[in-house]
Amino acid sequence: MAVTACQGLGFVVSLIGFAGIIAATCMDQWSTQDLYNNPVTAVYNYQGLWRSCVRESSGFTECRGYFTLLGLPAMLQAVRALMVVGIVLGAFGILVSIFALKCIRIGSMEDSAKANMTLTSGIIFIISGLCAIIGVSVFANMLVTNFWMSSANMYTGMGGMVQTVQTRYTFGAALFVGWVAGGLTLIGGVMMCIACRGLAPDNTNYKAVSYHASGHNVAYKPGGFKASTGFGSNTKNKRIYDGGARGEDEVQSQPSKYDYV
C-alpha cells in the first residue's frame, strides 16, 4: 500500500511540475523592467523567451515576437533548448509512468516490468527537472550580469549622480514558476525511483540441500527399526535390535540352540 501511494504521489507531483515547466516556457515575463528608480512610467517593458512586450499606462499591451534566430544571444537560445528538452522528456516520462502505475493492469504485465518502467520514468523526470532548473538559472545569471552592468553605466560621474537613463531588467514571474516546477518534477522523479524498489519482486534463490539416511525407506519404531530397500527381493534386509545392529547373514552364522537338536 505504501509503495502504491509513493508511486501515485510521485506521478501527481511530476505531473504538476511538468505543467509548470510548460507554463514557464510560454510566459512572457521572464525579465521585467526595474522600476526602483522610476516608479512612475508611461511604458512598462517585459520580455520572454519568444517575444517582448510593451504595456502602456492606458492598459494597451503590444507584443512582438523574435523573428530572427541568428540575431538572438547564444545564452537565450541555450535556455530555449533546455526548456524544450525538459518539456519533451517530461511528456515521455508521463506516458511511461501511466503504464507503470500499479493500479493499472495491462494484459499480463508482470511486476518486474512495471518496476523497470517506474524506474525509467523516474530517471526521465529527474533529467527533465534538471533541464528546467538549469535553463532558468542560466537566464537568471544573464539577468544579474546585465543588471549590474547597467547599474555601473547608470551611476557615473562625481558624487554618484545619474548621468544617463538606461532600462534595467530584473527577475520576472516566469523564473520563479520555472524553479518551482523544476523542483517538483525532480522530487516526483526521486519518489518514482524510490517506489521502484518496492515494486521489484524478490529474486532470492535458495540452494536446496537434500539429506538422505543410510538406508532407503527407513521405518522407525520405539524398539528399533527395520530397513528395507523395497526395490527387489535380492537385496538383503537388516534388522536392528536394542543391543545393536546386525545383518541377516551375521545372525544366521552364529550358533543357536536349535542347531544341536
Side-chain angles (χ1 to χ4, degrees):
M1 185 64 182
V3 175
T4 306
C6 182
Q7 185 188 34
L9 184 60
F11 173 74
V12 173
V13 172
S14 300
L15 184 62
I16 297 174
F18 172 68
I21 294 175
I22 296 177
T25 306
C26 298
M27 290 177 65
D28 295 327
Q29 295 184 350
W30 278 70
S31 59
T32 58
Q33 183 178 354
D34 184 28
L35 302 177
Y36 178 75
N37 292 321
N38 190 13
V40 179
T41 180
V43 178
Y44 177 71
N45 299 320
Y46 55 92
Q47 299 175 352
L49 296 179
W50 313 101
R51 59 182 184 175
S52 60
C53 300
V54 177
R55 186 176 63 194
E56 299 179 357
S57 59
S58 60
F60 177 76
T61 302
E62 181 181 0
C63 295
R64 183 179 181 181
Y66 302 136
F67 299 107
T68 179
L69 182 62
L70 300 178
L72 296 175
M75 300 298 291
L76 180 61
Q77 296 182 12
V79 173
R80 277 183 173 183
L82 286 172
M83 300 303 292
V84 171
V85 169
I87 292 175
V88 173
L89 290 177
F92 186 69
I94 291 292
L95 182 63
V96 175
S97 60
I98 289 176
F99 294 100
L101 292 176
K102 194 174 183 181
C103 58
I104 298 177
R105 180 65 63 180
I106 300 176
S108 59
M109 185 179 295
E110 299 179 355
D111 292 338
S112 59
K114 283 187 172 292
N116 294 331
M117 294 177 67
T118 303
L119 179 61
T120 303
S121 62
I123 295 175
I124 293 175
F125 283 139
I126 291 175
I127 298 176
S128 175
L130 289 177
C131 288
I133 293 174
I134 293 174
V136 175
S137 300
V138 168
F139 194 91
N141 181 64
M142 185 171 57
L143 279 180
V144 171
T145 304
N146 294 335
F147 182 86
W148 291 114
M149 290 179 62
S150 300
S151 300
N153 295 330
M154 182 179 296
Y155 295 98
T156 56
M158 298 181 59
M161 297 181 63
V162 177
Q163 301 293 330
T164 59
V165 178
Q166 187 173 359
T167 303
R168 297 185 303 180
Y169 291 92
T170 184
F171 293 170
L175 296 181
F176 301 101
V177 173
W179 274 319
V180 174
L184 289 177
T185 309
L186 181 63
I187 294 173
V190 173
M191 295 180 67
M192 296 289 284
C193 293
I194 294 175
C196 167
R197 301 184 59 183
L199 293 174
D202 296 333
N203 296 325
T204 305
N205 297 325
Y206 298 94
K207 294 183 179 180
V209 180
S210 58
Y211 296 92
H212 300 281
S214 58
H216 299 280
N217 299 333
V218 179
Y220 293 94
K221 295 182 179 180
F225 67 91
K226 180 184 293 184
S228 62
T229 60
F231 293 103
S233 58
N234 295 331
T235 306
K236 296 182 179 181
N237 300 331
K238 291 185 178 181
R239 299 177 182 176
I240 298 182
Y241 301 92
D242 296 335
R246 291 184 296 175
E248 186 177 358
D249 296 340
E250 296 178 359
V251 173
Q252 294 180 358
S253 62
Q254 294 181 0
S256 62
K257 62 180 181 179
Y258 300 102
D259 296 340
Y260 299 98
V261 178

